[in-house]
Amino acid sequence: MDAAAARDALLAAFGPARCELEPAVEHYTAYGGIVGGRPFALLRPRSVEDVVAMVRHCAAAGIGMVPQGGLTGLAGGAVPTLAQAGRVVVIAMGGLDRVREVDPVGRTATVDAGCTLDAVEAAVSAHGLTFPLRLGSSGSAEIGGIIASNAGGIQAWRHGSARQLVLGLEAVFADGSIWSSLRAVRKAALGPDIGGLFIGSEGILGIVTGAVLALALPASGSRTALLALADADAAAPLFRLSAAGGELEAFELMSRNGLGLLAAAEPELAPAMVLDHPWTVLAEWSASDDGLGERVEALLARALEDGLAADGLMARHERDRTRFWQIRGRHGAACRRRGQPVQHDVAVPLAALGGFLNAATSLAHRLTPDWLPVPIAHVGDGNIHFDLVPAATGAADLAPPGELSAALHDLAGEMGGVFSAEHGIGASKVAELRRLTPPANYAAMRAVKAALDPKGLMNPLKVLA
Ligand SMILES: Cc1cc2nc3c(=O)[nH]c(=O)nc-3n(C[C@H](O)[C@H](O)[C@H](O)COP(=O)(O)OP(=O)(O)OC[C@H]3O[C@@H](n4cnc5c(N)ncnc54)[C@H](O)[C@@H]3O)c2cc1C
């Protein structure tokens, strides 16, 4: 069947409400503005049955399928590659947006894959619960995308990444059959966990259509502080001290480089302290009892006394707290004003975090003096976003720091860590996955892909190209 006939057949099968033949450019533009290949149709299922019918249709016609969630992924996995232009369809999952059930007793929610994180949070908070996965992209990121990229975020060290928070899931395989383990139970010893393979699979094994999520009780009180550090080596021991009471919720490390860009863009946001020291941590503790304030004050005094923190600022009221979180929330946008960042998403064991930051900074100075490192780290899980932006304003067309990227990935591996922590492989790290994965592991992944998607139709050229 030629392309025109294939398009006509799709339209005839699913109608104009579910099949767009002239998709708008935003449906093949990855986050950050990189335009991918134009799909020959955009499919918009509204139900699991629609997904099954679309996958069966595409499988029979030999059409490649790119599952798409909220398009906030940072590895380019949700848009066709340029090489696939005109040869694949995008299946946009936002129409499956039903919260199927909330069980306030068992603390679970069963949701459609197209629900945004914010929509899930709104639904479960009505039952006095929270889904403890925090991303800056929560207004758009969908549960299916979060599962497919095994997203982590700010609270992952405490509550886990998607893998720990998904109790069961429902997915459509490449032939249109359905896997379902949609059970609201926390224990299941039922042989190999095939459903678990979809977590982190980035759409290459099938399409996630629903999930059972583990919920938690929200904290009823919190204390938030900014802590200045004299060097990166203090981050891990300061985290340890801060987490000792079991009430720490967030511990985000930012560099003076990035905060300097934030202060230039929004001077009213950044207190002078953050520019006086090379590193600043945003820490938040939560508890339901009244003694939290005193405990955190005592902890900060101890951190200053032990020399782990060089300075500190407690949020005295909600306005301060909002401002502290805005510093974290707007850090990325302030850095992007310098130009498109080059991102690295590594994780190392916590004990190696300071060593990685110091070594990576030296490598960046030596190998890429035209780029400015603006690292930010979710300290508790050792996840470092060692991002770089052009060192000078207006420096367009800088050569990508490829040698540095490879060196940083190698360094993370040598320290016992990984080169891809929470953003996934997508289209952008395919070669690195092949380079850095032990041959037996790589062969096993390929074997799983071949078994579940023998025709190679699910998200072709991604992850394991
Ligand atoms: C401002 C900002 C902050 C962020 N912060 C974090 C963070 O702290 N931690 C973190 O981990 N990530 C973060 N991210 C990255 C991103 O939000 C997450 O990766 C998110 O999980 C992607 O969800 P999405 O619905 O947008 O997926 P998309 O971008 O649409 O897709 C991502 C991948 O999943 C696949 N996919 C999507 N839906 C499905 C489905 N239903 N079935 C099968 N495959 C599917 C796609 O094919 C693609 O490969 C951030 C992004 C932004 C823009």
Side-chain angles (χ1 to χ4, degrees):
M1 196 187 303
D2 66 17
R7 283 158 54 100
D8 290 347
L10 275 171
L11 190 59
F14 302 111
R18 286 175 172 71
C19 173
E20 287 175 28
L21 297 183
E22 302 295 339
V25 68
E26 54 262 31
H27 284 289
Y28 50 100
T29 302
Y31 189 85
I34 299 164
V35 180
R38 184 188 169 93
F40 77 85
L42 172 72
L43 301 180
R44 292 185 183 279
R46 303 253 176 88
S47 64
V48 179
E49 293 73 28
D50 280 353
V51 178
V52 168
M54 288 168 180
V55 171
R56 284 207 174 124
H57 181 108
C58 291
I63 298 169
M65 295 161 263
V66 180
Q68 189 173 93
L71 263 176
T72 67
L74 301 173
V79 299
T81 63
L82 288 174
Q84 296 169 310
R87 297 164 62 175
V88 293
V89 298
V90 161
I91 303 187
M93 295 296 291
L96 275 80
D97 59 357
R98 221 164 37 93
V99 173
R100 300 185 197 175
E101 189 183 357
V102 179
D103 173 0
V105 180
R107 294 185 192 158
T108 62
T110 306
V111 304
D112 279 355
C115 290
T116 64
L117 195 50
D118 278 355
V120 169
E121 192 57 24
V124 304
S125 66
H127 295 268
L129 294 166
T130 184
F131 178 49
L133 192 141
R134 298 275 172 277
L135 306 179
S137 51
S138 58
S140 304
E142 296 174 7
I143 294 302
I146 285 166
I147 291 173
S149 45
N150 190 21
I154 286 164
Q155 293 182 307
W157 69 272
R158 181 173 176 120
H159 297 282
S161 295
R163 191 175 302 286
Q164 286 77 42
L165 293 168
V166 172
L167 302 178
L169 60 75
E170 174 190 75
V172 176
F173 289 117
D175 64 355
S177 56
I178 296 181
W179 164 271
S180 181
S181 55
L182 282 186
R183 298 177 207 93
V185 296
R186 285 166 200 265
K187 288 182 173 174
L190 298 167
D193 179 17
I194 305 299
L197 290 174
F198 285 90
I199 304 174
S201 67
E202 300 184 57
I204 68 164
L205 301 180
I207 302 183
V208 178
T209 51
V212 181
L213 307 175
L215 307 177
L217 286 174
S220 57
S222 67
R223 285 289 182 279
T224 311
L226 289 175
L227 304 169
L229 277 63
D231 62 65
D233 286 326
L238 182 59
F239 170 81
R240 186 175 172 203
L241 176 68
S242 305
E247 296 157 331
L248 188 66
E249 288 287 332
F251 200 83
E252 299 282 293
L253 180 72
M254 295 166 277
S255 74
R256 177 161 49 195
N257 286 349
L259 291 172
L261 294 175
L262 179 81
E266 301 193 66
E268 68 289 352
L269 266 192
M273 181 190 89
V274 306
L275 301 180
D276 292 340
H277 302 277
W279 301 97
T280 297
V281 159
L282 167 65
E284 185 160 283
W285 296 260
S286 72
S288 315
D289 64 89
D290 295 337
L292 178 65
E294 288 78 59
R295 288 199 295 283
V296 171
E297 296 273 8
L299 192 151
L300 293 190
R302 166 103 187 269
L304 289 167
E305 203 178 293
D306 292 356
L308 294 176
D311 203 348
L313 273 180
M314 279 280 280
R316 295 287 159 206
H317 32 64
E318 192 55 29
R319 210 174 51 242
D320 286 348
R321 177 175 182 253
T322 305
R323 182 163 73 112
F324 289 2
W325 276 104
Q326 282 171 340
I327 292 173
R328 171 65 183 87
R330 297 194 190 159
H331 176 276
C335 293
R336 277 195 297 279
R337 289 164 79 111
R338 264 294 168 82
Q340 189 60 30
V342 172
Q343 300 184 313
H344 301 95
D345 167 41
V346 307
V348 294
L350 192 42
L353 186 118
F356 181 92
L357 284 167
N358 292 331
T361 304
S362 304
L363 276 171
H365 286 152
R366 184 159 61 79
L367 296 177
T368 57
D370 293 340
W371 291 88
L372 180 74
V374 287
I376 196 157
H378 307 302
V379 171
D381 47 39
N383 182 192
I384 301 163
H385 298 301
F386 199 87
D387 295 350
L388 301 123
V389 292
T393 310
D397 300 331
L398 283 181
E403 191 188 348
L404 175 68
S405 297
L408 294 179
H409 293 165
D410 290 345
L411 182 64
E414 284 155 21
M415 291 181 157
V418 295
F419 75 95
S420 171
E422 61 174 8
H423 293 164
I425 305 299
S428 59
K429 290 181 220 146
V430 170
E432 284 299 76
L433 184 72
R434 184 189 281 265
R435 183 174 80 84
L436 295 168
T437 305
N441 293 22
Y442 199 78
M445 286 196 272
R446 288 206 84 112
V448 170
K449 166 81 173 163
L452 296 184
D453 179 22
K455 295 183 187 164
L457 295 176
M458 297 308 314
N459 217 356
L461 303 185
K462 308 289 170 48
V463 187
L464 294 174

